[in-house]
Amino acid sequence: MTIITVHAPNVSTAWLSAAAQLDAQPRREAFHAVVHVDDPVAENPEVRTAVDGILRDENLQTIETVANTIFPGDIAASSHSHAELVERYLRILPVLRRFPKNERGATYFSRLVQYPTKNGPFDQIGAVIDRVGIERRTPGPRRARYEVGVAGWDDSETTATQIYVPGTDNSPMAFPCLSHCSFQFDKNNRLHLLATYRSQYLLERGYGNYLGLGRLLAYVARQTNLQVGQLTVVAGLVRLENPILPVRAIIRQFSPTASAR
């Protein structure tokens, strides 16, 4: 079983390093791939432009479009509160559902802020923000109990944002591939995020996934007066798809400096 691990300073270098390691594998795939990004909101604009060029040539969603499915950065930047962000996003959600990639009626962010429960829609990100704030005001805070998972919501034990909905998300190859997010804050007041994917396509979704998760982490950090920490993305199975030749050209051009271990 092939396993890859990447440790990179920014999103662009993380993607390049993952792509280079996958390209070295016989089937350009790996199990239990782990990508650590020290600054998950930092990018190399030239790398991003080059990757976006491939995506456009293949009629795939741009990096920004993919990132926005996880966190709508522009709406958040012009919202004065978390409640306003949620209200505005849900107002445009019917329009977003018309796009082919959202044909199942949901986006990742909609699941994060309007997860369907027996008691009605639940804002999981709001719960994470509230609970982190409560814990930080409590002596001896619990620093690793802020979860976005798929196993169901237990309000008594954890702050979890669920993605998968049993009985609704039945296709093994479709939405959602992101299955779990876990937030932790350390003694230096830095907030970290661990995200788990059951599977991931590195070219079509990988860069946008990293960027969207980094923006989500930065948003929760701002809302809780914490600093942005490290993003870690674990994929049960990750593939580097065709076309491979332009990807190899980008790898050669930018020579990633991330330390791959």
Side-chain angles (χ1 to χ4, degrees):
M1 182 174 71
T2 300
I3 299 174
I4 69 168
T5 303
V6 168
H7 189 177
N10 58 57
V11 171
S12 303
T13 307
W15 186 89
L16 284 167
S17 297
Q21 288 196 48
L22 287 171
D23 188 35
Q25 305 307 318
R27 299 180 62 181
R28 299 200 303 272
E29 66 179 30
F31 293 90
H32 300 177
V34 182
V35 176
H36 305 282
V37 188
D38 289 334
D39 187 346
V41 292
E43 301 179 79
N44 179 329
E46 295 179 344
V47 173
R48 175 167 173 168
T49 298
V51 176
D52 257 337
I54 299 176
L55 296 175
R56 289 192 174 94
D57 288 345
E58 296 298 311
N59 294 316
L60 297 172
Q61 291 181 329
T62 66
I63 289 169
E64 192 68 22
T65 298
V66 173
N68 279 334
T69 66
I70 297 174
F71 186 75
D74 288 343
I75 300 175
S78 58
S79 297
H80 296 92
S81 66
H82 177 70
E84 181 183 345
L85 165 61
V86 173
E87 189 277 329
R88 292 175 62 195
Y89 186 83
L90 295 181
R91 196 190 312 157
I92 67 169
L93 185 59
V95 177
L96 299 178
R97 285 172 172 161
R98 298 173 189 168
F99 290 89
K101 290 292 183 178
N102 302 331
E103 71 273 8
R104 289 184 172 269
T107 65
Y108 286 117
F109 191 69
S110 68
R111 287 285 173 86
L112 295 175
V113 299
Q114 197 183 40
Y115 185 83
T117 73
K118 62 182 180 181
N119 296 319
F122 187 81
D123 179 3
Q124 304 178 84
I125 292 298
V128 169
I129 292 168
D130 289 344
R131 193 159 290 173
V132 169
I134 291 171
E135 287 293 336
R136 291 193 67 209
R137 296 189 295 270
T138 302
R142 300 178 185 181
R143 293 180 285 117
R145 61 183 289 236
Y146 311 99
E147 311 265 324
V148 178
V150 299
W153 179 269
D154 182 353
D155 189 56
S156 65
E157 293 296 331
T158 186
T159 299
T161 55
Q162 321 300 325
I163 305 296
Y164 177 81
V165 177
T168 298
D169 302 321
N170 297 319
S171 173
M173 298 302 292
F175 176 93
C177 291
L178 174 62
S179 59
H180 188 88
C181 290
S182 178
F183 295 86
Q184 305 84 28
F185 62 92
D186 61 28
K187 293 182 179 179
N188 296 317
N189 292 324
R190 298 173 71 240
L191 185 70
H192 309 283
L193 172 57
L194 170 65
T196 304
Y197 283 81
R198 58 184 175 86
S199 65
Q200 187 177 59
Y201 291 102
L202 192 72
L203 175 58
E204 181 176 355
R205 311 289 291 183
Y207 195 118
N209 287 341
Y210 298 164
L211 185 60
L213 289 166
R215 290 173 176 175
L216 175 64
L217 170 58
Y219 174 76
V220 176
R222 286 194 302 273
Q223 294 295 311
T224 54
N225 295 315
L226 291 166
Q227 298 178 22
V228 179
Q230 187 181 78
L231 168 67
T232 299
V233 180
V234 179
L237 172 64
V238 60
R239 296 184 176 95
L240 177 60
E241 328 90 279
N242 286 318
I244 190 59
L245 293 181
V247 173
R248 288 172 178 166
I250 294 175
I251 295 171
R252 288 194 301 270
Q253 179 180 357
F254 294 102
S255 301
T257 57
S259 58
R261 296 194 293 259

